[in-house]
Amino acid sequence: MADVTCARCGLTRASAGRVLPGEIGDEIEQRVCAQCWSEWLAQQIRVINHYGLRPALREDREKLYEFTREFLGLGAPEGDRVPPAS
Ligand SMILES: [Zn+2]
């Protein structure tokens, strides 16, 4: 597995790899280490229970991805950024 400079812990370590599909999966593969990903997996269970999320539903899955980004220090996805005031 390639090394990445992790967005969460700032260390250069082995990548988490391809753990999710799509754009968020690309970002995690390129910017998150395996250690931080495993910490998120443990935390994710608490988040799902706390918010009563059902990851089988698209809406809940997107909510979960928001928490994933926040936890891993990835920031908001491109499309969701507020455009600069003109
Ligand atoms: Zn890390």
Side-chain angles (χ1 to χ4, degrees):
M1 201 68 78
D3 280 357
V4 295
T5 300
C6 180
R8 178 165 181 264
C9 66
L11 300 175
T12 299
R13 303 203 268 200
S15 165
R18 190 74 187 174
V19 288
L20 287 176
E23 196 186 327
I24 190 170
D26 291 341
E27 282 195 61
I28 290 169
E29 189 171 15
Q30 289 159 24
R31 299 181 57 199
V32 176
C33 75
Q35 177 70 37
C36 287
W37 177 251
S38 69
E39 285 174 27
W40 168 243
L41 288 182
Q43 176 69 14
Q44 176 176 250
I45 295 162
R46 289 190 279 275
V47 170
I48 289 171
N49 289 337
H50 182 79
Y51 293 96
L53 298 176
R54 290 156 296 173
L57 301 181
R58 188 192 156 93
E59 198 182 311
D60 283 11
R61 201 159 56 238
E62 280 174 4
K63 195 99 205 141
L64 186 60
Y65 286 175
E66 279 177 37
F67 288 117
T68 306
R69 288 178 168 282
E70 193 180 358
F71 183 88
L72 297 172
L74 295 174
E78 285 297 330
D80 287 1
R81 278 187 198 134
V82 180
S86 52

